[in-house]
Amino acid sequence: MSRQLKSAARRAVLRWIILLIGVQIVCPLGPVSYGQTRSQLHSTDHLRQKLDQRVEFTPSAEAPLGQLIAVAKTFDIPMGIEWMEPTKCELSASPVPAKPTVRQLLIEIIRRCPALGLTVSNGIVHIRSSRVLNRINILNLRVSRFQVMKVSLFTAEHDLRMAIDQRLHPQEYENGYYGGYGYGPGEVFALPNVTFSGSNVTVREVLDGIARSNRNAMWIVRLNEASQESEAPLARVYKNWEAIVGIWQFVPLKG
């Protein structure tokens, strides 16, 4: 190869190196997460370890819902329960394996209630029936944007209620609004430790995000079977603020 060709080749290689460096500066190549953030993946792995631990525990409560709450509180399991009322459950429990995992314990509890199933996603154990995708299920309602940063769980759930109310009854907010809420300074959920943001998210996803960020909460929603079969729009089912406030309940895992 002649000296001129070698020089031209070197210049071409140098231009490619400069171009690649520029691309790396403008669009740095870093770890890419699909579907879940790094914190969500960490919380999911941590939850999996909790569920896989073997335990010796018998819930004192007789009803399945009470047993689920007892397991969540005892082993610090973030949980979201969508309890359909009435839920038909067998009176007697199935035999539990000797020293079961927490996951096996939960499965044996809901085995008494054939309509219920257990899934784990986004760092939360979900207990719910196969009818959760019903359009009348308020938890499937989507809000266009929800964001809180370093607020208490009380503030986060108040903001979520406001978002639901504005979504269902926008005409009531045309001229602004007034209202408020309060809580005692010593409440376990008063700590400003909740941060969550999302676009086009379901109410269920926001509840998950609040519980996951708080790290000391589970949520329970009681759904009425008759209302799930109704053709009435959600705005009529949840026609006032009191109805929206009663949708869910957060329960502390500790304290």
Side-chain angles (χ1 to χ4, degrees):
M1 183 182 294
S2 67
R3 181 177 300 173
Q4 292 173 333
L5 289 175
K6 289 181 179 179
S7 178
R10 290 194 191 98
R11 287 196 297 272
V13 171
L14 182 60
R15 282 196 297 271
W16 274 107
I17 292 174
I18 293 173
L19 178 61
L20 289 173
I21 291 174
V23 170
Q24 177 67 11
I25 292 174
V26 176
C27 304
L29 301 177
V32 180
S33 174
Y34 297 96
Q36 290 181 309
T37 65
R38 182 179 299 177
S39 62
Q40 287 175 330
L41 290 171
H42 179 267
S43 64
T44 299
D45 290 340
H46 186 49
L47 176 58
R48 187 179 298 114
Q49 294 173 6
K50 291 182 179 180
L51 293 174
D52 289 341
Q53 64 179 317
R54 294 194 173 276
V55 298
E56 294 181 356
F57 178 74
T58 302
S60 58
E62 295 184 2
L65 180 57
Q67 292 179 343
L68 291 171
I69 295 172
V71 172
K73 283 175 164 285
T74 301
F75 302 106
D76 194 26
I77 305 295
M79 190 178 295
I81 301 176
E82 298 174 49
W83 192 262
M84 190 74 71
E85 294 182 330
T87 292
K88 298 179 180 179
C89 300
E90 299 174 1
L91 294 178
S92 59
S94 303
V96 178
K99 203 170 184 180
T101 65
V102 175
R103 188 193 305 270
Q104 288 174 326
L105 190 57
L106 292 172
I107 290 174
E108 291 303 324
I109 291 173
I110 66 170
R111 196 187 298 276
R112 295 173 55 187
C113 313
L116 296 180
L118 182 152
T119 60
V120 181
S121 60
N122 296 329
I124 302 287
V125 173
H126 292 105
I127 307 292
R128 55 198 181 194
S129 77
S130 58
R131 302 174 60 187
V132 296
L133 296 180
N134 189 315
R135 69 176 182 84
I136 304 299
N137 187 339
I138 187 65
L139 300 188
N140 297 326
L141 180 74
R142 291 186 178 275
V143 294
S144 59
R145 179 69 179 168
F146 185 85
Q147 182 174 8
V148 291
M149 182 173 292
K150 295 181 180 179
V151 301
S152 71
L153 185 144
F154 293 125
T155 299
E157 68 173 350
H158 176 266
D159 288 359
L160 177 56
R161 287 167 179 151
M162 289 289 297
I164 294 171
D165 200 28
Q166 291 176 12
R167 178 80 166 76
L168 297 181
H169 310 286
Q171 71 282 357
E172 296 183 5
Y173 292 83
E174 292 177 353
N175 299 317
Y177 68 93
Y178 66 92
Y181 64 99
Y183 54 86
E187 296 282 352
V188 67
F189 287 148
L191 297 174
N193 58 3
V194 175
T195 296
F196 176 81
S197 65
S199 300
N200 192 33
V201 287
T202 64
V203 173
R204 182 184 296 105
E205 289 170 332
V206 178
L207 292 175
D208 282 352
I210 293 173
R212 186 173 57 245
S213 183
N214 177 265
R215 298 186 180 184
N216 185 36
M218 63 180 294
W219 56 264
I220 303 170
V221 171
R222 295 175 182 267
L223 299 168
N224 184 276
E225 185 176 11
S227 67
Q228 300 302 295
E229 297 174 352
S230 170
E231 294 298 324
L234 286 173
R236 189 182 303 169
V237 176
Y238 301 94
K239 58 185 178 181
N240 53 40
W241 182 254
E242 288 71 24
I244 293 174
V245 168
I247 293 173
W248 67 79
Q249 174 191 8
F250 277 105
V251 177
L253 298 176
K254 304 293 182 184

